[in-house]
Amino acid sequence: MPRDDRSPKPDAPVYEGAERLQKVLAAAGVGSRRACEDLIFRRRVTVNGRVAQLGDKVDPATAVIHVDGERLVADVRLVYLALNKPRGVVSTMADEKGRTALADFIGNRVEQRVYHVGRLDADSEGLLLLTNDGTLAHKMMHPSYGLTKTYLCEVAGPIPRNLGKRLMTGVELEDGPAKVDSFRVVDTLGRTAQVELSLHEGRKHIVRRLLDEVGHPVSRLVRTSIGPIRLGDLRPGRTRRLTNAEVAALFHAVGD
């Protein structure tokens, strides 16, 4: 009788506290168990750098799983959230002075304890990411990974034609030079203008200091994206869970 190529291979690795790979994939939202078995059979899944086989068992808390080359977080205890931080809210999970803080927007909707990745000053608004994945959070905040952040700013106008070139060339600040990766004028209205800029460094108040230094102080600042994650139409004070594709894109952005 010919051997069924879908049968488990005898050398499938087994890990302590492991579960069948197709069950782990299905629990992570990849698809039904049957669909996940098909992905494994078609060699579209790797575990710890090795092409997976039917019959493999993995520990979802430790296994590094990729599906079609994209990282999949199989540990269902890990949480990844996007928050649209309103103006006037401090970037701490709790505030000793009793001010509105980030945890006030999460409440009991998430069982796990999460932490914010990076900061926005109290007068700024927009996208913050929260997670309990310490490894990913560390990489996202580390300057060597150069995760780009985009901001929409309302500034004093009018905007000279050479402002973008000046900002992209570099501006000397009191703690050293700084520059943006991109700049464009979105809209102008009388003596104010809306500009969008992106940069990959995270010095304190860097956007406000840059624009103030070139003579266009910021009256409103909204962060609209962090790496591949966009604020979109998320309303102020609301949170949402990142999709599997967004989490995979974050891992890709930090080279994981």
Side-chain angles (χ1 to χ4, degrees):
M1 178 180 290
R3 183 175 61 84
D4 183 357
D5 285 340
R6 290 178 178 248
S7 61
K9 305 295 189 295
D11 59 347
V14 178
Y15 303 93
E16 183 179 352
E19 300 179 73
R20 287 196 176 273
L21 178 57
Q22 60 265 39
K23 179 181 178 181
V24 171
L25 295 176
V30 174
S32 68
R33 288 197 191 183
R34 180 60 182 171
C36 294
E37 287 176 355
D38 191 61
L39 288 172
I40 298 167
F41 174 71
R42 296 179 185 278
R43 301 173 63 84
R44 294 167 59 184
V45 182
T46 63
V47 178
N48 299 331
R50 167 188 169 276
V51 176
Q53 301 175 350
L54 285 169
D56 282 1
K57 291 187 175 183
V58 301
D59 183 347
T62 59
V64 177
I65 301 173
H66 288 79
V67 179
D68 291 336
E70 291 192 347
R71 176 74 177 267
L72 175 73
V73 177
D75 189 345
V76 296
R77 297 170 300 178
L78 293 177
V79 177
Y80 306 87
L81 300 175
L83 165 68
N84 186 347
K85 186 190 88 67
R87 191 170 188 170
V89 175
V90 294
S91 288
T92 58
M93 297 310 296
D95 183 62
E96 59 184 16
K97 297 180 180 179
R99 295 172 295 182
T100 304
L102 303 179
D104 297 320
F105 300 98
I106 299 174
N108 57 4
R109 285 173 288 176
V110 177
E111 294 181 2
Q112 297 85 344
R113 188 175 183 180
V114 296
Y115 302 90
H116 57 287
V117 182
R119 305 174 66 86
L120 280 172
D121 64 71
D123 290 330
S124 298
E125 313 161 50
L127 182 62
L128 270 176
L129 299 181
L130 303 101
T131 184
N132 57 352
D133 187 337
T135 301
L136 179 61
H138 172 74
K139 289 183 177 180
M140 289 174 59
M141 290 188 290
H142 200 282
S144 65
Y145 291 98
L147 203 61
T148 301
K149 304 174 185 67
T150 302
Y151 301 85
L152 185 65
C153 305
E154 187 174 282
V155 301
I159 305 298
R161 288 187 176 183
N162 68 340
L163 182 60
K165 182 177 180 181
R166 184 180 175 189
L167 288 169
M168 288 188 283
T169 300
V171 176
E172 190 68 35
L173 301 177
E174 66 273 14
D175 54 353
K179 62 181 180 178
V180 305
D181 300 322
S182 66
F183 175 88
R184 70 183 182 99
V185 178
V186 177
D187 197 10
T188 58
L189 181 62
R191 295 186 176 181
T192 63
Q194 282 190 345
V195 300
E196 181 187 80
L197 57 87
S198 298
L199 70 170
H200 59 269
E201 69 162 289
R203 276 182 278 172
K204 189 175 182 180
H205 303 312
I206 188 65
V207 175
R208 293 182 182 274
R209 291 194 291 136
L210 263 174
L211 290 169
D212 188 63
E213 182 65 26
V214 295
H216 299 277
V218 175
S219 56
R220 186 184 181 195
L221 184 150
V222 181
R223 183 156 65 199
T224 57
S225 71
I226 300 173
I229 310 303
R230 297 187 177 278
L231 181 63
D233 58 1
L234 187 64
R235 289 187 290 172
R238 295 297 182 91
T239 63
R240 68 172 180 84
R241 288 182 181 264
L242 300 189
T243 65
N244 286 341
E246 287 177 315
V247 175
L250 273 178
F251 275 104
H252 180 74
V254 298
D256 204 346

